[in-house]
Amino acid sequence: MLQSRHLLSGLGLSLMIATLSANAAGLTAEHKAFGKTNDGTPVEQYILRNSHGMQATVITYGATLQSLLVPDKHGKSTDVVLGFDDVQGYQKGTAYFGATIGRFGNRLADGAFELDGKRYQVPQNDKSNALHGGTLGFDKKVWKAEPVKDKDSVGVTLTYLSADGEMGFPGNLTTQVTYRLTDSNELRIDYKANTDKPTVLNLTNHSYFNLAGAGNGDILKQVATLHASHYTPVTGKLIPTGELAPVAGTPMDFTQPTAIGTHIKADHPQLKFAEPKQGGFDFNWVLDTKGDVSKVAAEVSDPQSGRHLQLYTSEPGVQFYTSNFLDGTVKGKGGKVYPHWGAFTLETQHYPDSPNQPDFPSTRLDPGQTYSHSVVLKFSAK
């Protein structure tokens, strides 16, 4: 059942909670206006801070991680996620900077799937595919927000009700996303959802990271480790073939620390599918951690700043994407230009096109079940 695949093990969650600092004195939160959408809907921002110079800013438009300040090895904090300074940037943007993705993260072949013998059609917005929930996914919605705080963290819970039939998906779906910042320099994201009809669901966060600082060059010298011995190869339409292929002997092998740029231009057909002109990574890796949130699923470090990111997740896969379609024309926060290969994503998820791939872990959600998905982003510097 989907429920058993998504619910965290009590042991794994206990281990994660046990690592959190009990010192909450430095945890603070601020809530203020961020502007209005083109139709006049107010958008709010929640600014979460800890005692070590880390700060996460979440806006209600798209339940988006708008900013993430992380200290480097000298203690200087810099924003490490791409984004915009105003609501209109996010409204016009097509890159999903920092957004909560739903109902279905990644691609659906032909924008369609079958459930209990009935075919459902999602608007196609990636050539013949439906990408990240269709033309108006969760990233383009204004969510309701409530602050949350406990002895170990400060955060915000965002809620959105997706009506039956929205973007072609069945069921009235209520989704909650909670961001929490701890004094151990961890940003935790927890997802929960319930439906009143059988549906499919695959939620993720689409933050673009550059550990040297957003807009500070490319990420080719940053060093990645993906604890994944297999990945899901794709066709020329970027739809999985259904195979779980070994990474050994391919440019997709990040089982040992490897600079992102080492093989990004390799003469390999999969890289050409991801970016025909120069190559790049845009694939789902099958995590060896198998949903155990006490184990590191992926990690990236920046030799220059010393920043190090460790990712923990309850999901079976992660989409590692190297911003192949950024081309230097997008101006982001502070007027900085975001270049080609200027960031990477780590989108924790079930595998792409899962509703059409019977051998992949199921993304079905039934009434009475609770979808649950947790991510921890732990930062350090040395």
Side-chain angles (χ1 to χ4, degrees):
M1 292 175 64
L2 180 79
Q3 189 176 23
S4 64
R5 290 190 176 96
H6 284 275
L7 291 177
L8 296 174
S9 69
L11 175 62
L13 185 58
S14 297
L15 287 171
M16 188 56 62
I17 291 175
T19 67
L20 301 179
S21 169
N23 176 18
L27 294 168
T28 64
E30 182 182 357
H31 168 213
K32 59 184 181 179
F34 187 69
K36 295 182 179 181
T37 63
N38 293 336
D39 67 3
T41 304
V43 175
E44 301 170 310
Q45 68 176 172
Y46 289 77
I47 304 169
L48 316 175
R49 300 183 180 93
N50 72 9
S51 65
H52 303 295
M54 192 166 165
Q55 174 181 297
T57 301
V58 177
I59 60 173
T60 54
Y61 187 85
T64 295
L65 180 63
Q66 188 261 339
S67 173
L68 186 64
L69 302 181
V70 178
D72 66 6
K73 61 186 176 183
H74 302 296
K76 180 182 178 182
S77 292
T78 300
D79 191 356
V80 299
V81 296
L82 278 57
F84 299 104
D85 287 321
D86 55 34
V87 178
Q88 281 63 44
Y90 290 98
Q91 283 197 276
K92 293 185 293 184
T94 59
Y96 305 94
F97 289 148
T100 294
I101 300 299
R103 289 191 191 190
F104 201 92
N106 221 303
R107 294 173 173 87
L108 288 169
D110 299 320
F113 62 94
E114 284 193 7
L115 200 60
D116 296 334
K118 183 177 179 179
R119 179 182 172 90
Y120 295 90
Q121 184 66 54
V122 181
Q124 296 162 321
N125 60 335
D126 177 52
K127 297 181 181 178
S128 62
N129 304 321
L131 177 66
H132 294 332
T135 49
L136 289 173
F138 286 4
D139 60 296
K140 299 297 184 185
K141 306 296 183 180
V142 177
W143 297 52
K144 295 180 179 179
E146 291 289 339
V148 295
K149 187 172 184 179
D150 57 35
K151 67 183 181 66
D152 295 317
S153 66
V154 62
V156 58
T157 294
L158 303 108
T159 305
Y160 177 67
L161 172 61
S162 176
D164 183 21
E166 183 176 283
M167 289 292 101
F169 292 96
N172 292 297
L173 181 84
T174 300
T175 299
Q176 286 190 331
V177 180
T178 301
Y179 291 86
R180 290 184 176 90
L181 179 65
T182 77
D183 216 37
S184 299
N185 283 1
E186 293 173 338
L187 180 66
R188 294 155 44 196
I189 310 175
D190 295 294
Y191 304 81
K192 288 190 177 181
N194 299 95
T195 183
D196 63 0
K197 289 183 182 179
T199 192
V200 296
L201 188 62
N202 195 24
L203 304 175
T204 193
N205 177 271
H206 207 297
S207 289
Y208 288 67
F209 297 96
N210 184 333
L211 297 182
N216 291 346
D218 63 45
I219 42 84
L220 299 183
K221 293 183 180 179
Q222 295 179 26
V223 178
T225 308
L226 303 178
H227 297 284
S229 54
H230 291 77
Y231 77 110
T232 52
V234 295
T235 67
K237 293 184 177 182
L238 297 181
I239 295 297
T241 63
E243 179 187 8
L244 304 185
V247 299
T250 77
M252 276 58 77
D253 190 348
F254 284 89
T255 52
Q256 298 298 319
T258 305
I260 293 171
T262 302
H263 301 298
I264 201 167
K265 297 182 181 179
D267 185 15
H268 190 282
Q270 289 287 300
L271 299 187
K272 300 299 182 185
F273 289 158
E275 210 283 63
K277 293 182 180 179
Q278 300 183 63
F281 298 105
D282 189 10
F283 308 105
N284 170 70
W285 271 258
V286 178
L287 293 170
D288 295 337
T289 50
K290 301 184 186 301
D292 186 343
V293 295
S294 70
K295 296 180 179 178
V296 179
E299 44 198 319
V300 183
S301 61
D302 174 41
Q304 183 176 1
S305 68
R307 291 188 185 90
H308 184 71
L309 164 61
Q310 292 177 304
L311 175 82
Y312 303 79
T313 181
S314 61
E315 291 295 276
V318 64
Q319 188 85 4
F320 179 57
Y321 170 57
T322 48
S323 58
N324 306 325
F325 294 106
L326 292 181
D327 59 5
T329 62
V330 176
K331 285 188 177 180
K333 289 174 285 189
K336 287 192 173 183
V337 172
Y338 295 149
H340 189 61
W341 295 331
F344 62 87
T345 74
L346 291 169
E347 303 159 57
T348 58
Q349 60 177 12
H350 268 51
Y351 309 158
D353 198 40
S354 286
N356 300 313
Q357 305 274 353
D359 293 332
F360 284 2
S362 174
T363 53
R364 179 180 177 126
L365 181 66
D366 286 312
Q369 293 182 324
T370 296
Y371 172 100
S372 182
H373 165 184
S374 291
V375 183
V376 178
L377 302 167
K378 183 173 179 62
F379 291 88
S380 57
K382 61 181 179 180

